[in-house]
Amino acid sequence: MNFEEWASKALIAERGIVVPRGRIARSPEEAKAAARGPCAVKAQVPAGRRGKAGGVKLASGPGEATEFAASMLGSEISGCKVEKVLVEERVDVARELYAAVLSDRGNRCPTVLFSPSGGIDIEEAAASDSEAMRSCQVDIRRGFGPAEAESLLEGLDLGDRKPEIAAALAALYSAYRDLDAELLEINPLAIAAGGEVVALDCKFVLDDSAAARRPELAARASREQATELEIRAAEAGLRLIELDGDVGVLANGAGLTMATMDAIAHFGGRPANFLEIGGDSYTKAEPALRIILENPGIKCLLVNFCGAFARTDVMAGGVVAAWKKLRPSIPAFFSVHGTGEEDAIELIRSELGIEPYDLMDDAVVAAVRAAEEARR
């Protein structure tokens, strides 16, 4: 769950990290009232690179703040409609830094990141200079405090602000832990002209699995702006995320669905959707398949089932029945493994005349190639 800047900053401010004073405005008039001298007007959407999209502007006073708010409100940035802006005091910046804590699934631990070069081009800086980003993999039994932060900053030219920066890093890790975060990022973390260490922007992503036990926190998350197909899927009890690719995906289990999407991308394709159906495939295969097929950009369908407790023959039965009823014209590619796979494979072969693949990768490659040929 993504949080807008104003909500993210409020959470880290509660934990001792300094943020600029600011107010939310939902109209140009409110922006004018919030502006008290030089200020920044910032569109509030759960998207990055707002500055390059015209979503962050520096105003000299109430007049410009009103003008900038009027131009932002109602516009779209990265597909998100701007419904409010943050008007906050302008900070005289001496230096921009970068700090973040994220869930590092590859190393199965939290990782603290720091760079002495912050700002909107941090990704490019880190890619071009391996020394531009430092990282610390955290042992959750020990945690990450000021001593670990000082060690991470060792050798960097940060002047006499190093203790304050270390304290901010330790506070950021504490917030990450306490808030059940997937990501907490401050970019830039600024050293102000007066020496104060200030978070000029903040991005917070809540672990979706924590939402049920943290309802008060989840209520502050950004409202998702769903597409028409995503809304229809939700009404049918399905979780669909529309993407801009052309390989439709139908799989069981969120992990397998994500792995299938990753494999499509690895072999040069683009997934058209995330749709995990699992044990509901027997009863919900028809609405799921119908919704996937209504995506005008879809060129083929990849079905990937792997069953342990859920039987693959039952899942395949639902898809086969839906396929025979809807009679789509696009090609389909199946990979089926696990409990009941022999019956599932025979059902797909006899009822649809489609031969499932022995290996998931082979099914993915075939689907990606079919989509490429359909685009020609």
Side-chain angles (χ1 to χ4, degrees), residues 197-249:
V197 177
V198 185
L200 294 190
D201 195 0
C202 183
K203 180 178 182 180
F204 170 49
V205 179
L206 174 68
D207 185 340
D208 286 348
S209 63
R213 67 176 181 269
R214 304 295 297 273
E216 79 294 342
L217 189 57
R220 300 163 75 172
S222 175
R223 187 177 75 249
E224 294 187 15
Q225 299 187 18
T227 67
E228 181 181 346
L229 289 182
E230 289 169 348
I231 293 171
R232 287 180 50 202
E235 291 171 347
L238 298 165
R239 172 63 169 166
L240 171 77
I241 300 175
E242 249 192 301
L243 304 171
D244 61 358
D246 50 18
V247 179
V249 178

Side-chain angles (χ1 to χ4, degrees), residues 287-313:
L289 188 58
R290 190 185 300 275
I291 288 169
I292 289 176
L293 295 172
E294 288 190 18
N295 180 336
I298 191 171
K299 306 298 183 187
C300 64
L301 178 69
L302 177 61
V303 181
N304 193 7
F305 287 154
C306 183
F309 299 107
R311 293 188 60 89
T312 58
D313 53 342

Side-chain angles (χ1 to χ4, degrees), residues 3-354:
F3 285 62
E4 293 169 356
E5 177 190 359
W6 66 274
S8 303
K9 279 182 171 175
L11 291 168
I12 63 172
E14 292 170 1
R15 287 154 178 82
I17 297 176
V18 178
V19 302
R21 291 186 296 271
R23 284 172 52 189
I24 285 293
R26 291 178 170 81
S27 69
E29 293 73 25
E30 289 184 2
K32 181 177 182 179
R36 308 213 173 157
C39 59
V41 181
K42 309 170 89 173
Q44 296 301 285
V45 292
R49 297 184 175 273
R50 290 170 299 160
K52 288 189 174 182
V56 177
K57 295 185 178 181
L58 300 179
S60 59
E64 280 193 335
T66 306
E67 176 187 337
F68 294 154
S71 67
M72 292 180 196
L73 291 167
S75 66
E76 282 196 3
I77 295 178
S78 299
C80 300
K81 184 178 180 181
V82 180
E83 297 178 341
K84 53 186 171 294
V85 296
L86 174 63
V87 181
E88 65 180 18
E89 65 178 339
R90 196 187 305 180
V91 175
D92 188 6
V93 177
R95 186 172 180 181
E96 292 185 341
L97 315 169
Y98 174 90
V101 187
L102 55 84
S103 298
D104 185 345
R105 289 179 173 79
N107 292 301
R108 299 181 181 180
C109 66
T111 294
V112 179
L113 300 175
F114 178 81
S115 175
S117 303
I120 60 175
D121 294 321
I122 181 62
E123 294 89 350
E124 289 81 354
S128 62
D129 181 5
S130 60
E131 299 298 318
M133 185 71 72
R134 291 193 172 188
S135 65
C136 174
Q137 295 172 9
V138 180
D139 182 340
I140 60 173
R141 296 167 296 185
R142 296 180 54 193
F144 183 91
E148 288 77 16
E150 290 272 7
S151 177
L152 180 63
L153 301 176
E154 186 176 355
L156 294 176
D157 181 15
L158 300 172
D160 58 0
R161 297 296 93 189
K162 187 176 289 186
E164 287 82 358
I165 296 169
L169 284 174
L172 192 66
Y173 177 79
S174 178
Y176 163 89
R177 180 196 61 209
D178 295 344
L179 294 170
D180 287 313
E182 279 192 359
L183 170 69
L184 255 176
E185 178 185 65
I186 300 175
N187 187 30
L189 177 67
I191 301 176
E196 194 172 31
V197 177
V198 185
L200 294 190
D201 195 0
C202 183
K203 180 178 182 180
F204 170 49
V205 179
L206 174 68
D207 185 340
D208 286 348
S209 63
R213 67 176 181 269
R214 304 295 297 273
E216 79 294 342
L217 189 57
R220 300 163 75 172
S222 175
R223 187 177 75 249
E224 294 187 15
Q225 299 187 18
T227 67
E228 181 181 346
L229 289 182
E230 289 169 348
I231 293 171
R232 287 180 50 202
E235 291 171 347
L238 298 165
R239 172 63 169 166
L240 171 77
I241 300 175
E242 249 192 301
L243 304 171
D244 61 358
D246 50 18
V247 179
V249 178
L250 188 60
N252 68 293
L256 180 62
T257 306
M258 292 296 294
T260 305
M261 295 165 62
D262 287 344
I264 291 170
H266 174 75
F267 288 112
R270 295 179 302 127
N273 63 274
F274 169 98
L275 179 55
E276 183 275 319
I277 193 166
D280 288 334
S281 62
Y282 190 78
T283 58
K284 294 182 178 177
E286 183 181 335
L289 188 58
R290 190 185 300 275
I291 288 169
I292 289 176
L293 295 172
E294 288 190 18
N295 180 336
I298 191 171
K299 306 298 183 187
C300 64
L301 178 69
L302 177 61
V303 181
N304 193 7
F305 287 154
C306 183
F309 299 107
R311 293 188 60 89
T312 58
D313 53 342
V314 174
M315 290 187 281
V319 175
V320 166
W323 192 269
K324 291 174 70 175
K325 181 175 181 178
L326 298 176
R327 298 184 178 278
S329 58
I330 62 172
F333 304 88
F334 286 78
S335 173
V336 182
H337 299 91
T339 307
E341 67 176 81
E342 292 181 0
D343 290 338
I345 291 169
E346 179 56 34
L347 180 66
I348 296 165
R349 180 186 293 137
S350 62
E351 294 293 323
L352 302 183
I354 297 173

